[in-house]
Amino acid sequence: MAENKKSLVKVHSKLTVVSSRPTGPGKTHPLSKLDHAMALHTIHIVFYYPTNPFLEADLATLRVSLSELLCSYPPVTGRLTRRPAKDGQSGGGGGNNSSSCCWMVKCNDAGVRMLRAKVGTTLDEWLRFASGSDERDLTVWEDMPDDPSIWSPFCIQINDFEGGGLAIGLSCSHMHADQTSATLLVKSWTELQRGEPISQPPVFRRPTPDSTPSPENHTMLSQFYANKSKARASSRKMESATFRFSDSKMKQCLSKIRVKCPNATPFDALLALFWTRVVKLNPRVEQNHTHNLSVCIDSRKLIHPPLPIGYFGNALHFSRLSLDSEKLASFGLEHAVEIVHNHLARIKEAESCSVLDCFEWEKGEEVEAYEQPFMMYGPELTCISLEHMIIPGGPKGSTASESLIYEAMFRKDEKPVHVSYHVGNVEGEGLITIMPSLEGGLGRTVTVTLPEDQIAKLRDDQALLDMYPTMLMNGGR
């Protein structure tokens, strides 16, 4: 399929959808410095549905519910503009090359781009044989232009498969939203489409934390981000592969691991597994003797007062775990899981608070070092956890093993059969995303983006095959 991918997804219509009620003049949405730090990245999510719930030939049904949704999300339908520079700050520069954090969203009801495309294969064939490169065509991939005044930071692409399947592709600037915010945007849309109220309404302002970040944590994190900002990763062609691990296999895996690490989680196990396998595929890292891993988790519930799940913006916590590559490659899985678990357990409220506020402290040498946007996902291997999307008790009485991700249903009780997450402009060693699986329970889905020459080797890795994963987007294999 990859060879013919340009003929598989054909966009045949484009339009702009605006909110059904005007926001009102003069409303703006400020972006935090943490938001600005994500400026080089984009988010892309694809929700796959087995049937198309929209019978009309045009987009009238979807446009009505989307227009209603945008009334609750003024920043989504607005446009980026430079805010007045503070004393000592520069207001110049354009696009991603702006010299200071001077962007805000002008909530002017300019609208969201909506595209419709036809996919020249069935959904089942796509999920079996498409590659990560093919999947890119289901969403819009574009960087912020030098003049963003007429650029829509949010785009929605509706993809019709042969035989009735449907994929909804959302893309947005990472400055505006993280993976959680973007997911709940689509989920809220499906609720309005079903005639229900929004269950996790957006919250656009973050309350002031009760505690003050410790100077030690602030210094440590400042150095972490300063080092990131100075790193220069060589850009190599990247490819993706997706593995789905069943609930039963994860239970077997954890039953062995918990002898050494009793509180190990599915995330601990899968992160350790993929980390050790990727190290073996990367001789360049082994020669450097140290392997750095950046772990990205959601921080909404780690600070006090906690942020609601509906907080709209970036609430991510990045931390680094470094180990000698030779030792890591020689570790048994149980030992590697224990290291990962202990690292995550050490992330305390004070450290998470420091992450959210690190970019907001008064400007100093350390802050100036990373005030320009830089590769937050890189140059080291980065792993994203979406474990927080499993809500205890679940929405409307669902079990604790069900995820908000699969509650994005345009039709009642018709969950998406698969959801994919990708981040734009990932460079360096690659990206691993670990998320709940449709099966629920301990089942998990893992999407790995690595340099192209490593992906084929990872698909054939025996340690992964021993867990009998279902491979999605298998690149024609």
Side-chain angles (χ1 to χ4, degrees):
M1 287 184 69
E3 292 78 2
N4 301 317
K5 75 168 194 170
K6 290 185 178 180
S7 65
L8 286 175
V9 182
K10 295 183 178 180
V11 175
H12 56 78
S13 65
K14 301 179 182 179
L15 54 86
T16 299
V17 181
V18 299
S19 57
S20 58
R21 297 184 300 277
T23 300
K27 183 177 179 61
T28 60
H29 173 67
L31 297 177
S32 71
K33 288 188 177 181
L34 177 56
D35 294 335
H36 282 81
M38 312 303 295
L40 297 184
H41 298 292
T42 52
I43 289 178
H44 307 267
I45 310 177
V46 183
F47 294 79
Y48 292 94
Y49 297 90
T51 61
N52 189 336
F54 311 111
L55 302 179
E56 294 83 358
D58 57 21
L59 302 181
T61 301
L62 277 178
R63 288 173 63 184
V64 171
S65 57
L66 181 57
S67 293
E68 183 66 21
L69 174 74
L70 295 178
C71 296
S72 299
Y73 286 86
V76 171
T77 190
R79 294 294 181 265
L80 281 167
T81 185
R82 295 180 184 88
R83 67 188 182 199
K86 296 180 181 179
D87 293 341
Q89 287 185 328
S90 167
N96 289 341
N97 297 317
S98 59
S99 59
S100 65
C101 298
C102 57
W103 293 108
M104 65 180 180
V105 181
K106 184 178 181 181
C107 303
N108 57 1
D109 296 314
V112 169
R113 297 281 189 268
M114 178 180 279
L115 299 79
R116 193 158 198 177
K118 180 68 177 178
V119 186
T121 187
T122 66
L123 176 59
D124 288 342
E125 290 172 339
W126 180 273
L127 291 177
R128 284 199 302 269
F129 301 121
S131 67
S133 298
D134 293 315
E135 193 174 39
R136 289 176 61 97
D137 290 343
L138 300 181
T139 64
V140 176
W141 290 72
E142 58 184 25
D143 295 325
M144 183 175 76
D146 287 343
D147 179 11
S149 59
I150 59 173
W151 174 69
S152 176
F154 287 79
C155 294
I156 295 171
Q157 184 168 316
I158 302 169
N159 305 277
D160 300 295
F161 287 90
E162 292 181 355
L166 179 74
I168 303 289
L170 172 71
S171 58
C172 68
S173 160
H174 210 325
M175 275 206 300
H176 287 70
D178 58 16
Q179 289 82 351
T180 303
S181 299
T183 299
L184 292 182
L185 176 68
V186 176
K187 179 177 177 292
S188 298
W189 181 20
T190 66
E191 289 170 336
L192 292 180
Q193 178 69 26
R194 301 197 309 265
E196 301 175 4
I198 296 175
S199 57
Q200 284 92 21
V203 176
F204 298 104
R205 293 194 178 276
R206 179 167 62 89
T208 302
D210 290 346
S211 57
T212 302
S214 69
E216 294 81 7
N217 281 327
H218 174 67
T219 300
M220 178 185 65
L221 290 165
S222 293
Q223 188 60 51
F224 172 44
Y225 288 116
N227 290 338
K228 252 184 189 299
S229 70
K230 296 173 184 176
R232 295 293 176 264
S234 60
S235 180
R236 293 179 285 176
K237 185 176 181 181
M238 310 294 277
E239 185 55 89
S240 298
T242 299
F243 306 79
R244 182 178 289 168
F245 298 91
S246 69
D247 174 74
S248 61
K249 288 299 178 183
M250 287 305 304
K251 286 178 178 176
Q252 292 177 19
C253 176
L254 289 173
S255 66
K256 298 176 182 177
I257 292 170
R258 283 174 175 161
V259 174
K260 185 173 184 62
C261 187
N263 298 318
T265 67
F267 178 78
D268 298 334
L270 290 172
L271 173 52
L273 175 63
F274 278 91
W275 188 18
T276 55
R277 306 325 294 170
V278 171
V279 167
K280 289 182 177 294
L281 298 176
N282 197 340
R284 181 180 62 83
V285 173
E286 291 181 0
Q287 292 170 3
N288 291 337
H289 302 297
T290 299
H291 188 90
N292 295 319
L293 176 71
S294 182
V295 184
C296 175
I297 64 174
D298 186 79
S299 64
R300 285 168 172 80
K301 300 303 180 185
L302 297 180
I303 64 173
H304 189 76
L307 293 173
I309 190 70
Y311 171 73
F312 193 86
N314 283 283
L316 300 175
H317 174 90
F318 289 83
S319 61
R320 175 176 288 167
L321 180 55
S322 299
L323 287 174
D324 181 275
S325 298
E326 293 182 1
K327 290 182 179 179
L328 180 61
S330 64
F331 283 165
L333 181 60
E334 295 86 353
H335 192 179
V337 170
E338 184 179 35
I339 291 171
V340 169
H341 179 81
N342 290 340
H343 171 77
L344 293 172
R346 285 192 295 268
I347 298 177
K348 305 294 184 180
E349 177 183 317
E351 182 179 350
S352 180
C353 181
S354 294
V355 167
L356 285 176
D357 290 294
C358 185
F359 291 89
E360 306 297 337
W361 283 36
E362 287 187 25
K363 187 187 296 185
E365 288 185 4
E366 292 170 340
V367 176
E368 286 179 347
Y370 55 78
E371 188 164 288
Q372 290 279 355
F374 53 88
M375 292 294 168
M376 294 289 285
Y377 299 92
E380 64 272 348
L381 182 69
T382 304
C383 182
I384 304 171
S385 169
L386 297 181
E387 294 286 292
H388 64 283
M389 299 290 269
I390 302 175
I391 305 299
K396 298 184 179 179
S398 63
T399 66
S401 61
E402 292 185 343
S403 168
L404 290 175
I405 295 170
Y406 297 98
E407 294 298 317
M409 300 179 288
F410 286 98
R411 281 179 176 166
K412 191 173 180 61
D413 298 328
E414 186 169 277
K415 299 178 183 292
V417 294
H418 178 58
V419 182
S420 287
Y421 288 81
H422 296 280
V423 175
N425 296 324
V426 171
E427 294 184 355
E429 293 177 28
L431 181 68
I432 302 170
T433 301
I434 301 176
M435 58 179 284
S437 191
L438 176 62
E439 179 187 8
L442 299 181
R444 295 293 184 269
T445 298
V446 182
T447 297
V448 185
T449 301
L450 295 173
E452 189 177 36
D453 60 327
Q454 296 179 23
I455 280 292
K457 297 177 182 178
L458 188 69
R459 288 193 182 107
D460 294 330
D461 186 273
Q462 192 59 49
L464 297 180
L465 296 178
D466 286 345
M467 292 186 64
Y468 297 96
T470 298
M471 296 190 187
L472 306 176
M473 312 292 172
N474 208 19
R477 291 161 61 93

